Amino acid sequence: MTATVHDVAILSDFRYPGGNSAAIAAEVRAQAEAGLRTVLVHVPSPHNRDGLPFSPRIAELLRDGLAELAAPDATTQARLLVIRQPRIFTEDLAVVPRVRADHTVMVINQAPGDAADPKRYYDFDEVRDRVELYFGPTIEWAPISPQIRGQLPGLAEDDWHEIIDVAEWWPGERRRGDVPVIGRHGRADPVKWPRTPDELLLAYPERADLRVRVLGGGDIATRLLGRRPANWDVIPFGGEEPVDFLRTIDFFVYFHDPDLVEAFGRTILEAMAAGVPAIIGEHFRPIFGDAALYSTPAGVEPLVRGLWADPERYREVAARAREFAAGRYGTASHLARLAARGAGARTAAHRAPGSARHGDPAPRPRPVLMLSDNGAGLGHLSRLMAIGRRLPPTHPAVIATQSYGASVAHQEGFLTEYLPSRTVLGMAKQRWSGFLQSRLEHLVDLHRPAVVAVDSVPHDGIVAAAAARPDVTWVWVRRPMWRRDTGAEWIAQGSAFDGILEPGEFAAEADEGPTVADRSGVHAVEPIMLLDRDDLASPEEARAALGLDQGRPAALLQLGAGNINDIASPVGRIAAHLRGAGFQVLLAESMIATEPMPPVPGAQVVKVYPISRYLRGLDLVVSASGYNSFHELLAFGVPAVFVPNRSTSLDDQLGRARFAAAAGAALCIEDPESDELDRVLTEAVRPEVREQLARRCAEIGFGNGAGAAARWLAELAAENVRSGA
């Protein structure tokens, strides 16, 4: 299928808490307002600690659907790639993102060093070499300000300056208090403050008839002073939104360590947009011209008192600053530079979903939005794709996946939305629930599905989204065979759905989980599989595709998506046993593996999706007994040895594998660390045993319920449309 080409891709580390994220948010909002489609490509910086969450500003963009987050394993295509924050490239990247763009801009939004150490933060030559290695030599290197331009050679003629939407910051005429309030806001960093206590108190005076408010970093200043002045109000970073904070102050005063080279000064721009006069150092004049008031710390108090005593002049200064911010750094300047680089206003061919214009064709069919869980493997996603590929054209599938398998769904031809998981965003559970709800509501509003099918446990955010969008039919695709005494809290959430679709389970007689007692109103189908028998390659085609010799037996090892270190030892033992029996050994690596399998001597690693297409080329499969692999192997008559993954929280793989072994359809190794492994494999490699297993699978054969599931969902979708929902 044709790949999605975004208008703008922004590559950065979205965990930076300060100006970097604020600048990105401003640009994304301007792009969304102009109808441009933005994708964010996250690359961790070596200077940010592990586990740090995304900036709230970035999370809000994703929540509100103003930008998409690129799946880590996907290839991103865009008309323009904008890279921000050079410190990301102070070390070689562990994983280089795959981005294809017509034009690339590297924004130098931080100086390489300061007066004391010109390379304190990064070596520009090293950063340039890495960026050009990763993204090509034809990159536009754009400074964020004249300050940066003066430090580095070979930069573009135009600055890639900060932007701001003044309408978002301007509160209207300000209410005048009894005494003037001096304030500042920003992230906590010692270099963002004057170096000495004397200069600090000159800039932020300790006076009974003045107030000082500090949002972020105030503890640094009070430590320098050894106390907190009585007229100071110190708020932690993030304690108030900057736009709200600026409404509480009358003067924005910003002075920092004299060695610091401030790249731009976004907080100054925000104050100007909010109509707050800014008092800053003379070195900022190339950026803010006559719109600011320039001084030293010693001149702050006289300026404040003089302007406070002259309300008319105060209003003139505030208005001039606001007009300057809108004219010089408004969103129009950003849209103009995008257009100059080929990412301007959309044509009809590039228009985003949901942006129909007068005279466009009739609205597109009402789809089925399919949400998969963020499990370690592709099981949830594969079941949904199995159904989705069989839906009629009147109700096509749109896949929204929390897993790293978004690129897999896209490669399979589905319109795909990547919904980053709680782990990726580093969010607390409660905040994640709100994010998930908002994101799902946005996807429903964007795609206007008739049905939402959820193959996941019903997280609070999903339940809340279902309640907030009652005109859509919500269906829970609930796999059976849960472990005994688990999941009762999820079963209780089932009432949030309009229906429950249950894929069939060969081992249903051994099911002791909580879904057994909750079958009232459940729509059951046969086991759901991605492929039908007719979709499988012939034995000869499969062996050729997998690189196998035609004359020797071949075995595949696929022990699931659990912890690689947990399965490394049994994998090695299994491979050695099979090689000793004359088998060619293939080792299936997950399509979404975040780290490679440890080397297994004599085993050939294959990374193919779907591997089930090539099962006829195999003589034996040693597999975990997850739902999908289990039913595919039995349905397609492949001799199998099941090694249950006992680390799963809900799936009863042990019960499933035991049932298949009792039915004579497969062999089972319950404890791969024991002598049982060698005993069972000795049986499995015998041709007569494998022939018997294949015959037994043929006797108990079952069909594929994916078609029936698709027909039922299509009927629900048609009924939803007929009802006018």
Side-chain angles (χ1 to χ4, degrees), residues 496-538:
F497 296 90
D498 300 299
I500 297 177
L501 173 65
E502 184 172 283
E505 172 62 65
F506 172 67
E509 294 179 26
D511 192 346
E512 299 179 339
T515 64
V516 175
D518 188 54
R519 294 265 164 78
S520 177
V522 169
H523 186 84
V525 297
E526 289 191 276
I528 291 177
M529 296 171 285
L530 183 67
L531 302 180
D532 294 314
R533 290 182 179 85
D534 292 342
D535 295 323
L536 270 62
S538 69

Side-chain angles (χ1 to χ4, degrees), residues 73 375-378 381 403-408 561 589-595 607:
D73 55 347
L378 289 169
L381 181 59
S403 79
Y404 286 87
S407 62
V408 174
E589 183 173 8
S590 171
M591 291 294 294
I592 60 172
T594 56
E595 55 180 311
K607 194 170 185 176

Side-chain angles (χ1 to χ4, degrees), residues 231-244:
N231 67 326
W232 280 32
D233 181 15
V234 176
I235 306 106
F237 186 78
E240 293 180 14
E241 289 297 321
V243 66
D244 297 325

Side-chain angles (χ1 to χ4, degrees), residues 458 462-464 466-467 474-476 478 488-500 518 520 522:
I462 297 173
V463 172
W474 291 75
V475 174
W476 186 8
R478 191 185 70 186
E489 70 277 15
W490 302 123
I491 297 297
Q493 298 272 52
S495 59
F497 296 90
D498 300 299
I500 297 177
D518 188 54
S520 177
V522 169

Side-chain angles (χ1 to χ4, degrees), residues 219-462:
D219 56 332
I220 296 171
T222 55
R223 282 200 301 271
L224 181 61
L225 295 174
R227 58 190 173 80
R228 187 175 78 179
N231 67 326
W232 280 32
D233 181 15
V234 176
I235 306 106
F237 186 78
E240 293 180 14
E241 289 297 321
V243 66
D244 297 325
F245 171 81
L246 289 169
R247 291 170 183 164
T248 70
I249 67 173
D250 303 299
F251 297 89
F252 185 87
V253 176
Y254 179 54
F255 290 91
H256 53 70
D257 188 291
D259 280 350
L260 175 66
V261 178
E262 185 72 84
F264 186 87
R266 178 170 184 85
T267 57
I268 302 169
L269 180 61
E270 291 171 350
M272 289 180 167
V276 180
I279 302 175
I280 54 181
E282 180 66 32
H283 56 283
F284 283 111
R285 189 179 291 275
I287 300 173
F288 298 110
D290 295 334
L293 301 173
Y294 299 99
S295 177
T296 63
V300 168
E301 187 173 348
L303 268 176
V304 167
R305 294 192 184 278
L307 206 55
W308 187 253
D310 188 347
E312 182 62 28
R313 182 166 173 259
Y314 178 95
R315 286 191 291 270
E316 290 175 359
V317 171
R320 183 172 71 241
R322 194 172 68 253
E323 291 168 4
F324 173 83
R328 177 71 178 89
Y329 297 120
T331 57
S333 66
H334 178 59
L335 298 178
R337 67 192 181 195
L338 294 181
R341 292 161 177 83
R346 284 179 171 274
T347 64
H350 289 104
R351 203 172 309 146
S355 59
R357 296 176 182 171
H358 180 70
D360 279 350
R364 64 183 183 274
R366 297 281 300 280
V368 175
L369 178 62
M370 314 189 90
L371 172 66
S372 82
D373 201 359
N374 60 326
L378 289 169
H380 298 273
L381 181 59
S382 291
R383 278 191 297 275
L384 290 180
M385 290 194 295
I387 300 170
R389 70 201 302 259
R390 294 169 174 85
L391 285 168
T394 50
H395 301 293
V398 176
I399 301 289
T401 176
Q402 300 174 52
S403 79
Y404 286 87
S407 62
V408 174
H410 184 76
Q411 291 165 11
E412 289 295 301
F414 292 97
L415 176 59
T416 306
E417 297 279 2
Y418 174 53
L419 206 166
S421 69
R422 174 185 166 194
T423 302
V424 167
L425 294 178
M427 285 184 173
K429 182 178 180 181
Q430 184 175 3
R431 188 173 167 217
W432 157 249
S433 295
F435 173 88
L436 181 58
Q437 175 187 350
S438 297
R439 189 75 174 104
L440 282 177
E441 290 176 11
H442 167 75
L443 292 178
V444 169
D445 296 341
L446 175 66
H447 294 287
R448 298 184 62 250
V451 171
V452 177
V454 178
D455 195 323
S456 164
V457 292
H459 298 288
D460 291 343
I462 297 173

Side-chain angles (χ1 to χ4, degrees), residues 51 110 299 348 399 515 616 618 719:
Q110 183 177 10
I399 301 289
T515 64
R616 283 180 175 158
L618 301 168
E719 177 59 32

